[in-house]
Structures are given as C-alpha cells and as structure tokens.
Amino acid sequence: MEMCAQPPLDGAKKTMHQIACHECDLVHSIPPMPTRAAACCVRCGAVLFRNKPDSIDRTLAWTIAGLVLYCVAVTFPFLAMKSGSIVQKTSLLSGVRNLYQQDETILAILVLLTCILIPLIQMLGLLYVFIPMKLNFRVKYAVPAFRLFQHVKPWSMMEIYMLGILIAMVKLGKMATIVPGLAVIAFGLLIFVLNFAITAVDTHMVWERLGSES
Ligand SMILES: [Zn+2]
C-alpha cells in the first residue's frame, strides 16, 4: 500500500514548503519527505505531490536526450517533396520563414515560439538548474530560471505542430511524393522525451534545494 503522509496545515514551521491542494485549495506545509512517499490533502485526500526517486538523474538524462533530438530536428531536413524531377526540402526553420514570406506573420511567430524557442528555453532552464544540483555547486539565478521553466511549460505546443505536419503530409501526398526527413522523426521523439523530462522533475525537491541555498 502506498504511504500517504498527512502533512500539517498552514502555519507550521517556516522551513516547510507550502503547497495548495489542486482539488480543494487547502494550503499545507510539507516537511521533507522520504523517497517514493506521497503527501495527501488532510481535507479531501487528493495526492498533493509524490517524492520522485532519482529525480535529478532522470531529469538530466531525458533533458540531454531531448537536446540531442532538438539539434537534429532543427538542423536536418524536415520534409522532402518530390514532384516529377523537382525536389523541395524544408526544415523547421525554413518552414517558419515560408510562413512569414506568405504573410502569415502571426502563425510564423507562434510556431517559432511554441515549437522552437520554448522547448529550447525549457531544456536549457532544466540543465541550468539540475546540473549544479547534481554536481553540488551553486549558480546565480537558479530560482528565476526554474520559475521561467514553470511559466513557459503550458506554451510548448509541439504536439499541435506535429499534428499539423501530419495533416499536411496526408493532403500534399496527393499532389507530390512526400519523404519525411530525419528531423520529423527527431521532432516526434522530442515531444515524448521532453514530456518524460518534465514528468521526472520533482518540483517540491527543487524548491526545497533552491530555498536552502538562498
Ligand atoms: Zn484537498
């Protein structure tokens, strides 16, 4: 059976991390928790957070894997369209440029932000916070870096872009031969890998460590 500690309510020791129940909004102060233990709301029993084992190692491993996939996704050709003897290759960045040239400025900015810049900010933010944590040294601005990571998280929309690509491939497939490039595969994998990295982050542990540094 899962261990579910009942944390004290707000007003307990100052060193404790504060967390609000996502179900009933009751604020709790969470003491340091043993690995794999979960803290539950005293009022409604919802799981407040779970202490994730090897969170630092797993976050770093998935983030580094994600960064490699990202480099492949950005540099290699995304799609190749063959129509007769004409072959046209597109990349993630040239796709954005094409949108801009076709006066789809807002769409171009959205794709640039949600699919290229934000995933990169997320991964660099994670590395900036987690590498020093793993090697036990302090860096400046780790708190704002982690806050930035948390704020941009909802703005990563690679899944929607990938869906758009797949629809375009099916539609264009009738007019030309579409050859998916290495970047499409890398981009598709990146969606999963980045999600694994984000899931591996133990937010409670990070705030505890960053809080004790300041
Ligand atoms: Zn609750």
Side-chain angles (χ1 to χ4, degrees):
M1 211 181 83
E2 185 183 69
M3 181 187 159
C4 206
Q6 297 265 304
L9 290 175
D10 187 26
K13 273 202 289 180
K14 251 187 173 176
T15 48
M16 293 182 176
H17 183 73
Q18 299 225 320
I19 199 165
C21 174
H22 53 89
E23 296 290 333
C24 71
D25 291 329
L26 185 66
V27 178
H28 299 74
S29 296
I30 312 270
M33 301 271 295
T35 311
R36 287 178 206 275
C40 299
C41 176
V42 290
R43 184 152 71 192
C44 72
V47 176
L48 296 170
F49 90 99
R50 206 177 295 277
N51 198 350
K52 297 172 184 175
D54 312 320
S55 165
I56 297 177
D57 287 346
R58 284 190 303 123
T59 305
L60 277 174
W62 286 119
T63 309
I64 292 165
L67 212 54
V68 173
L69 289 169
Y70 180 87
C71 293
V72 174
V74 172
T75 48
F76 282 79
F78 217 77
L79 295 173
M81 271 190 289
K82 273 186 210 165
S83 186
S85 59
I86 304 162
V87 180
Q88 200 184 0
K89 281 184 181 174
T90 57
S91 72
L92 201 54
L93 290 170
S94 73
V96 173
R97 199 180 52 220
N98 288 345
L99 281 172
Y100 180 73
Q101 283 166 349
Q102 287 161 18
D103 278 336
E104 298 280 3
T105 315
I106 294 170
L107 199 59
I109 293 170
L110 268 179
V111 171
L112 184 68
L113 271 178
T114 60
C115 299
I116 299 173
L117 290 179
I118 287 175
L120 184 64
I121 292 171
Q122 281 183 305
M123 287 185 286
L124 294 181
L126 283 177
L127 291 182
Y128 187 78
V129 172
F130 278 80
I131 289 176
M133 225 177 253
K134 172 75 187 164
L135 303 175
N136 275 319
F137 67 91
R138 293 172 185 196
V139 281
K140 273 186 176 177
Y141 311 118
V143 170
F146 193 64
R147 228 170 244 147
L148 179 71
F149 158 76
Q150 287 194 305
H151 281 137
V152 299
K153 214 159 59 175
W155 291 98
S156 175
M157 294 177 189
M158 293 190 294
E159 298 88 343
I160 297 168
Y161 189 68
M162 192 68 196
L163 197 67
I165 299 279
L166 292 176
I167 293 168
M169 274 167 73
V170 171
K171 278 189 172 173
L172 290 170
K174 291 169 191 159
M175 294 180 271
T177 313
I178 306 289
V179 184
L182 192 59
V184 172
I185 300 159
F187 192 79
L189 286 173
L190 177 61
I191 295 173
F192 289 98
V193 168
L194 193 54
N195 265 317
F196 290 145
I198 291 168
T199 317
V201 174
D202 186 339
T203 314
H204 178 65
M205 179 276 298
V206 173
W207 283 127
E208 219 167 61
R209 301 264 304 239
L210 294 182
S212 67
E213 279 177 12
S214 58

